[in-house]
Amino acid sequence: MALTPETLPRHELNGLPVRVVDSDDETRVGLEGRVVIETTNTLSIEIRVDGDSRVVMVPKSGSVFEFAITDDAAGDEKSPGTASKLADTQPDATGDVPFESECAGEDVAYVTVDGSRLLSRPARRTETNGDSPWQ
């Protein structure tokens, strides 16, 4: 099954670029990086700043995430691009907006997903056969 905006909740999220669009904890809004670990209730996001990296756990419940799907992730030569929900965010201290620059291009689709749609064991959510409600 191809990775598209419609099917994103049924796919493996590890490795995808992600940004926290909204959260019950305002300090998490705007965090961006790559998903390194997904559990039933959290996404662990690796954030890189000035060559250093750290991993931040963000609860799925109460958060809204924006994923950047590129051609590499989608496995599609010509997927349509969509505008980022946070395209007008402020640049960092170096003047760059890392999420945008890392994923910029016309072949990038930004998919906004309410974290409550992802509340499930990743292995169960990505099943393609049986009686899975995610199919």
Side-chain angles (χ1 to χ4, degrees):
M1 169 178 21
L3 179 58
T4 66
E6 294 79 25
T7 64
L8 180 98
R10 296 190 313 237
H11 278 275
E12 176 72 38
L13 302 178
N14 288 338
L16 289 180
V18 65
R19 179 186 290 174
V20 180
V21 177
D22 191 23
S23 177
D24 291 342
D25 181 356
E26 290 297 319
T27 62
R28 291 187 177 108
V29 174
L31 289 177
E32 57 191 51
R34 290 202 179 266
V35 177
V36 290
I37 299 172
E38 179 187 8
T39 66
T40 301
N41 297 308
T42 64
L43 288 181
S44 293
I45 302 171
E46 180 183 29
I47 299 169
R48 293 179 183 241
V49 178
D50 298 327
D52 294 330
S53 68
R54 63 187 175 105
V55 176
V56 178
M57 288 179 55
V58 180
K60 292 177 182 176
S61 181
S63 298
V64 177
F65 301 98
E66 181 178 74
F67 295 92
I69 302 175
T70 62
D71 288 343
D72 294 337
D76 183 6
E77 288 184 24
K78 294 286 182 186
S79 56
T82 58
S84 169
K85 298 286 186 201
L86 293 180
D88 296 329
T89 57
Q90 298 297 322
D92 63 14
T94 64
D96 294 330
V97 181
F99 189 74
E100 294 298 322
S101 62
E102 179 180 315
C103 304
E106 62 183 50
D107 293 331
V108 176
Y110 293 95
V111 181
T112 305
V113 179
D114 189 318
S116 63
R117 288 190 60 205
L118 303 172
L119 286 173
S120 178
R121 283 182 40 232
R124 176 81 169 140
R125 197 184 70 243
T126 58
E127 287 179 348
T128 58
N129 57 16
D131 63 350
S132 174
W134 297 98
Q135 295 180 33

